[in-house]
């Protein structure tokens, strides 16, 4: 009797992986930052692309090799200057 008035409600799911941030180009590089201090390089990257994470990597430190299009590694020498062209990944 009351079954006609009751409708089965399917569970509502939130879509996983949706993002409101802009698409980050996977081939973005900053060759002009080589030789700058890590702080200067990070500031310039963040001015251009505030949505990326910048990680400074000192000499002889290990990194992960997973590819992420919202990350920039800054490889620095012992004096803290960028020694390799930073890129997305």
């Amino acid at each position: 009797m009351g079954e006609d008035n009751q409708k089965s409600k399917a569970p509502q799911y939130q879509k996983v992986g949706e993002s409101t941030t802009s698409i980050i180009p996977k081939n973005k590089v900053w060759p002009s930052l080589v030789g700058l201090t890590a702080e200067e390089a990070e500031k310039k990257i963040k001015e251009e692309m505030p949505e990326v994470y910048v990680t400074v990597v000192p000499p002889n430190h290990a990194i992960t090799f997973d590819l992420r299009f919202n990350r920039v590694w800054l490889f620095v020498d012992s004096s803290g200057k960028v020694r390799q062209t930073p890129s997305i990944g």
Side-chain angles (χ1 to χ4, degrees):
M1 292 185 190
E3 292 177 22
D4 294 334
N5 293 335
Q6 293 179 355
K7 294 182 180 178
S8 70
K9 292 187 178 184
Q12 298 296 314
Y13 297 100
Q14 180 179 0
K15 291 183 181 177
V16 177
E18 284 189 20
S19 175
T20 58
T21 60
S22 62
I23 296 174
I24 299 171
K26 61 183 174 182
N27 58 351
K28 181 65 181 158
V29 295
W30 291 270
S32 63
L33 302 183
V34 174
L36 296 180
T37 66
E39 293 81 20
E40 293 169 326
E42 182 174 0
K43 181 180 176 188
K44 290 183 184 253
I45 291 168
K46 288 292 206 172
E47 285 174 358
E48 190 175 326
M49 301 182 84
E51 64 274 12
V52 299
Y53 298 97
V54 178
T55 303
V56 178
V57 182
N60 302 316
H61 275 71
I63 62 167
T64 62
F65 287 99
D66 58 322
L67 186 60
R68 295 190 182 189
F69 296 118
N70 64 341
R71 176 180 60 206
V72 177
W73 297 112
L74 283 181
F75 295 95
V76 297
D77 60 20
S78 58
S79 66
K81 296 197 177 188
V82 178
R83 64 178 172 87
Q84 181 177 323
T85 300
S87 64
I88 293 285

